[in-house]
Every structure is written in C-alpha cells, then in structure tokens.
Amino acid sequence: MEEPACQTLKGLGHCVVKDAPPSVYYFPDYITEAEEAYLLQQVYKAPKTKWTQLKGRRLQNWGGLPHPKGMLAEKLPEWLQKYAERISALDIFAGKTANHVLVNEYNPGQGIMPHEDGPLYYPTVSTISLGSHTVLDFYHPINSAQTDVPQTEESRYCLSLLVQPRSLLVLQDEMYKHYLHGIQGVVQDTLTDRVANLSHATACAGDCLTRGTRVSLTIRHVPKILRAALLLGKK
C-alpha cells in the first residue's frame, strides 16, 4: 500500500489507531511480498561483522551510532535509503529525512524489555516489519513518587499493538514520549481485546498466532549530526 509521496501522515485518518493514546498510525501491507523478500535478502547479505549480538536478539546499525554529543553520519545503503525517503515523504520528521535505521532480528521466543527510545532521536519512530508478526506491549513508566504501591509490569501495562509482516507502524506524540514499549519473549501470542489495532488487522480477539523469525526496520531521524572535523578536534 504505497501512499502518494505528497500525502502527509496527518491526512491519512484511516490509518489512525483511535483506541490508543495519541498518536499511533498503522499501515497494513505497506510493502508488497516482493519488497519484503528483497529487504530480507538485503538484510542477510550484510557482512557478518555488521551484526551485533545482544541478549534476546541481534541487530544491525545503519547510518551511524547515535550519541548525546551527536551522530557521525554514514550514508545509508540504497536499499534502506529508498524506504527512509518514502516514509519521510509522509512528513513525520518535520520536513527532515530519516537518517538512521536499526535492523533487529527476533527469533521465536525472543523479545525486548520495556524501554523508551529517548531524546537522541526526533520524537517519532517508524517501523517496517518483515517475516513474522509480533505483539508490541505498552506500559506506563515507573512513578518514582509512588513508593507505597508495587509497580510491576502487569500493573503498569496499558495496551498492545499487533504488528504484522509488511506493515508500517508510526508512533508519535504521547505514545512516543510517555509510554514504554516492549515485546514478550514467547513463541505464541493469544490476542485479547487489549490489542488496540485489531480493526486495522486481519485478526480477531481470541486468535492464537505462532511467531516466526521477525526482522524489523526501525527508521528514525537523528537531529544532531557531527562533522568529521569536529570529531577529530579540528575547527
């Protein structure tokens, strides 16, 4: 479902997930099966040295390493630049073009602890999913002032989103700035009515979905860029 380049995200009301806090946009079948196969091929053609193994997943970092002092930018490969430009044409980065892509690989049973993306990025995250679905869970942050009540993941849980293969998910505003997001390390997901985007997906509450290997392309804009001369201490 390739949206016209001139059409901005704010004009795509049919993609808004209204049962979630502001702002969640979900595009099922954003890319075709052929595009999905091509992107997976490119991911796995990358040199072994490009992969970083973490607990629960492995990843590739493209575009540079974000840092509080700024990112020393590297040119995105053509196969990623195409989608960075296509998504940026929705005007989700205030007129800027995405310059950073994180490729995450999750095998069945792998996940990631609840976290926030932080201030190094423009406060919008866009994700294309390949290969398999996952369920993204959202949580209220720990309230440091509330010390008399146990604040477990379960008590802080807010809602979930079903993220299907070939979809595009965009998070902005409150959903980016306030909520933590994570993925449970399970091999199957039983969907409940707490999955806020079921009306946008080909699934129903009560469905049990078995995970395969999922690859996600997290496409973002890093505003603070370092010039090589500055990094070397030159003016």
Side-chain angles (χ1 to χ4, degrees), residues 29 40 50 73 140:
D29 295 316
L40 285 170
K50 195 66 182 177
H140 295 288

Side-chain angles (χ1 to χ4, degrees), residues 31 36 39-44 51 57-60 62 79-80 101-108 110 127-134 163-167 183 212-218:
I31 61 172
E36 178 184 38
L39 286 169
L40 285 170
Q41 181 185 54
Q42 295 302 310
V43 167
Y44 289 112
W51 287 101
R57 74 190 195 283
R58 62 175 183 159
L59 60 83
Q60 298 174 11
W62 296 94
W79 60 275
L80 287 175
V101 181
L102 202 62
V103 177
N104 283 289
E105 180 196 62
Y106 296 92
N107 290 314
Q110 293 182 329
T127 304
I128 295 175
S129 291
L130 312 171
S132 177
H133 83 282
T134 199
V163 184
Q164 296 170 298
R166 298 181 297 283
S167 68
I183 297 172
T213 296
R214 172 177 175 260
V215 172
S216 64
L217 310 181
T218 302

Side-chain angles (χ1 to χ4, degrees), residues 62-63 71 74-76 80-89 92-101 122 124 126 218-223 225:
W62 296 94
M71 181 175 76
E74 302 170 357
K75 186 177 180 180
L76 291 173
L80 287 175
Q81 184 65 33
K82 172 184 176 180
Y83 292 92
E85 292 177 357
R86 178 169 154 187
I87 289 172
S88 299
I92 63 176
F93 302 115
K96 303 295 185 180
T97 300
N99 57 4
H100 184 264
V101 181
Y122 182 84
T124 292
S126 61
T218 302
I219 300 171
R220 293 177 284 204
H221 176 72
V222 178
I225 300 298

